[in-house]
C-alpha cells in the first residue's frame, strides 16, 4: 500500500495507540494523518491483493492505494521542514510536531474534529530534530541541532513547562526515545554516543553514556519489554544493548551532570557488511510468542528495508536477517520505519520520494 500527498521528502511516521491511524511529517512544512478506509477489513486482509503489495521501482504511479485515505492535512504547520511527529500515547487525540524552525507544536482535537495548535514550545536555538512523549503522556522530550535535550511537563489544556535542559552531548542530537516501562530517556547523537537520562527528585541527569558506534548514531528503539535497546548508525551497524549492573567508574569526558548509575553493554551486533550505507531508522516489534523477542526493521540509505528476527538462546541474543525489500522507496533514502503497535506484522515506512508505504509480513 502506498499513500501519496506530501510534496517533499517524508521524514517520519507515527502510529496512534490503536494502530488505526498513521501521522506523517514532511519537508513541505505539513503533517498528514492517514487511515485505512475500512480498518476492520484491511487488517484482516480482506481488502489486500498481492498486486497491491508489490513495489515497482520503475513505476512512477504516485496514486494513493484505494484502501487508504488521507483523513486530515495540517498545512503550513511550521515555517520550515517538519522533522518529527508523535501521537500522544494514552488517548491519541493530541499530536506533537518538531520543526527545523526550532519550535515544537502541540495539536489537539478536544473541541473539534480536526487538529488545532494549542501550544508552541520554544527554546531550541535552531533546528529541532525529534519529539517523543513519555508512556504516560505527562512528559515530552525534544532535541536539536543545538546539542540539547529538553524535557517538558504537561499541566493540561495545552500548558507545558520546561523542567530540564540537558547539555551533555557535544554535537547534534538526532533523536529522543522514552523507555516503555521505566522513567528513562535515551538520546542519540552526532557525537557517536547514546545517553540515558534518569530523574532523581525532579532532577534529570545523565545516568549512562553508551559508546561503541564509530559514527553518528541516528536512531534507536527499545524492545517491547524494555530489556534491550537497539541503535543504528552511520557506521552501517545495528547494535543491541542490555542494561547491566551499575557502573561506578564514570568517564573524564562524560560531562558535568554525568552520574554513573547505569551500565549498558553490547550483546548483539549486525555487522557493517549487511547494510551498504547509513542506517537512519530502526523499529522493534512486539514479540509473536514467548519464545522470541520480536523483529527489528531498519530503514537505510541504500534504499532497502530489512527485517531481522531476534531470539534469545543459550549463547545469548541472536539477530538474524529474515528478509530484505530492495528499492522499497525506489532510489530514495528510507528515513523512517515503524511497526504497528496493535496489528502484528504491519510496518509503515517513508522516504525521500515523498511516499508513505504500508507493508505486511506474515508471522
Amino acid at each position: 500500500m502506498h499513500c501519496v500527498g506530501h510534496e517533499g521528502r517524508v521524514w517520519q511516521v507515527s502510529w496512534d495507540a490503536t494502530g488505526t491511524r498513521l501521522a506523517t511529517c514532511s519537508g513541505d512544512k505539513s503533517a498528514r494523518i492517514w487511515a485505512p478506509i475500512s480498518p476492520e477489513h484491511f487488517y484482516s486482509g480482506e481488502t489486500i491483493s498481492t498486486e497491491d503489495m508489490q513495489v515497482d521501482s520503475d513505476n512512477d504511479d504516485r496514486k494513493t492505494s484505494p484502501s487508504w485515505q488521507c483523513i486530515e492535512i495540517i498545512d503550513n504547520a511550521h515555517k520550515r521542514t517538519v522533522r518529527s511527529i508523535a501521537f500522544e500515547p494514552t488517548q491519541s487525540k493530541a499530536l506533537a510536531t518538531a520543526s527545523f524552525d526550532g519550535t515544537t507544536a502541540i495539536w489537539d482535537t478536544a473541541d473539534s474534529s480536526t487538529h488545532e495548535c494549542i501550544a508552541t514550545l520554544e527554546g531550541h536555538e535552531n533546528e529541532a530534530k525529534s519529539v517523543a512523549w513519555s508512556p504516560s503522556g505527562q512528559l515530552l522530550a525534544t532535541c536539536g541541532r543545538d546539542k540539547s535535550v529538553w524535557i517538558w511537563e504537561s499541566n493540561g489544556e495545552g500548558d507545558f513547562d520546561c523542567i530540564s535542559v540537558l547539555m551533555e552531548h557535544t554535537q547534534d542530537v538526532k533523536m529522543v526515545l522514552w523507555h516503555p516501562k521505566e522513567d528513562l530517556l535515551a538520546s542519540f547523537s552526532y557525537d557517536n554516543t547514546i545517553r540515558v537520562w534518569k530523574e532523581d527528585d525532579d532532577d534529570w541527569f545523565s545516568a549512562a553514556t553508551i559508546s561503541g558506534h564509530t559514527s553518528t548514531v541516528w536512531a534507536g528503539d527499545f524492545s517491547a519489554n524494555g530489556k534491550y535497546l537497539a541503535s543504528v548508525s552511520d557506521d552501517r551497524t545495528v547494535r543491541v544493548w542490555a542494561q547491566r549492573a551499575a557502573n561506578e567508574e564514570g568517564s573524564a569526558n562524560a560531562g558535568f551532570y554525568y552520574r554513573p548509575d547505569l551500565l549498558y553493554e553490547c550483546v548483539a551486533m549486525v555487522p557493517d557488511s549487511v547494510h551498504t550505507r547509513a542506517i537512519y531508522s530502526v523499529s522493534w516489534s512486539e514479540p509473536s510468542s514467548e519464545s522470541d523477542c520480536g523483529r527489528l526493521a531498519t530503514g537505510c540509505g541504500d534504499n532497502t528495508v530489512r527485517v531481522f528476527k531476534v531470539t534469545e538462546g543459550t549463547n545469548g541474543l541472536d539477530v538474524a536477517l529474515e528478509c530484505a525489500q530492495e528499492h522499497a522507496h525506489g532510489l530514495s533514502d528510507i528515513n523512517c520505519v515503524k511497526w504497528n503497535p496493535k496489528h502484528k506484522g504491519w510496518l509503515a515506512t517513508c522516504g525521500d520520494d515523498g511516499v508513505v508505504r504500508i507493508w505486511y509480513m506474515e508471522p
Side-chain angles (χ1 to χ4, degrees), residues 26-200:
S26 170
D28 64 10
K29 308 176 188 176
S30 77
R32 288 177 176 247
I33 300 176
W34 314 81
I37 295 173
S38 178
E40 65 277 12
H41 294 123
F42 178 82
Y43 289 116
S44 69
E46 292 181 32
T47 63
I48 303 169
S49 68
T50 303
E51 181 181 358
D52 200 21
M53 287 299 292
Q54 293 176 345
V55 178
D56 183 356
S57 60
D58 296 324
N59 184 5
D60 195 36
D61 179 11
R62 299 173 65 81
K63 184 179 179 181
T64 297
S65 168
S67 56
W68 275 70
Q69 62 183 336
C70 179
I71 60 174
E72 185 179 353
I73 302 173
I74 304 175
D75 229 347
N76 295 314
H78 289 270
K79 296 178 181 179
R80 293 183 62 193
T81 291
V82 186
R83 180 61 178 84
S84 181
I85 192 165
F87 271 111
E88 190 278 328
T90 60
Q91 298 183 9
S92 295
K93 291 183 178 179
L95 270 174
T97 54
S99 170
F100 282 179
D101 65 14
T103 68
T104 299
I106 310 298
W107 310 81
D108 206 333
T109 59
D111 300 319
S112 67
S113 59
T114 59
H115 284 84
E116 298 180 358
C117 185
I118 60 170
T120 300
L121 312 182
E122 299 180 341
H124 286 290
E125 295 178 2
N126 38 47
E127 298 171 2
K129 297 291 185 72
S130 177
V131 61
W133 297 90
S134 66
S136 67
Q138 288 299 113
L139 299 177
L140 190 74
T142 61
C143 65
R145 188 179 178 184
D146 59 7
K147 311 174 189 177
S148 69
V149 174
W150 291 55
I151 299 177
W152 311 79
E153 184 174 30
S154 173
N155 299 316
E157 298 182 357
D159 184 21
F160 286 79
D161 291 331
C162 177
I163 60 174
S164 193
V165 179
L166 308 168
M167 299 288 296
E168 300 305 295
H169 281 294
T170 59
Q171 297 292 336
D172 296 15
V173 187
K174 300 297 186 183
M175 182 184 178
V176 283
L177 171 73
W178 290 95
H179 191 283
K181 304 293 184 182
E182 303 176 40
D183 290 330
L184 298 174
L185 177 69
S187 57
F188 307 83
S189 175
Y190 191 76
D191 65 15
N192 306 348
T193 70
I194 305 162
R195 292 264 182 173
V196 179
W197 309 88
K198 189 176 180 180
E199 185 265 341
D200 179 23

Side-chain angles (χ1 to χ4, degrees), residues 169 175-182 184-189 192-197 207-213 217-233 237-244 262-270 281-285 293 295-298 310 312 317 319 338:
H169 281 294
M175 182 184 178
V176 283
L177 171 73
W178 290 95
H179 191 283
K181 304 293 184 182
E182 303 176 40
L184 298 174
L185 177 69
S187 57
F188 307 83
S189 175
N192 306 348
T193 70
I194 305 162
R195 292 264 182 173
V196 179
W197 309 88
T209 301
I210 305 175
S211 301
H213 285 293
V217 189
W218 284 100
D221 200 13
F222 283 102
S223 59
N225 60 9
K227 183 177 179 180
Y228 299 109
L229 172 64
S231 59
V232 293
S233 168
T237 67
V238 182
R239 296 172 186 256
V240 181
W241 312 86
Q243 186 176 327
R244 297 304 187 217
L262 303 172
L263 173 65
Y264 286 81
E265 66 177 4
C266 185
V267 295
M269 184 176 74
V270 177
S281 180
V282 62
S283 181
W284 206 318
S285 76
C293 299
R295 287 165 164 159
L296 283 175
T298 60
V310 186
E312 287 180 319
L317 201 68
V319 182
K338 195 68 177 178

Side-chain angles (χ1 to χ4, degrees), residues 3 303 354:
C3 304
N303 322 323

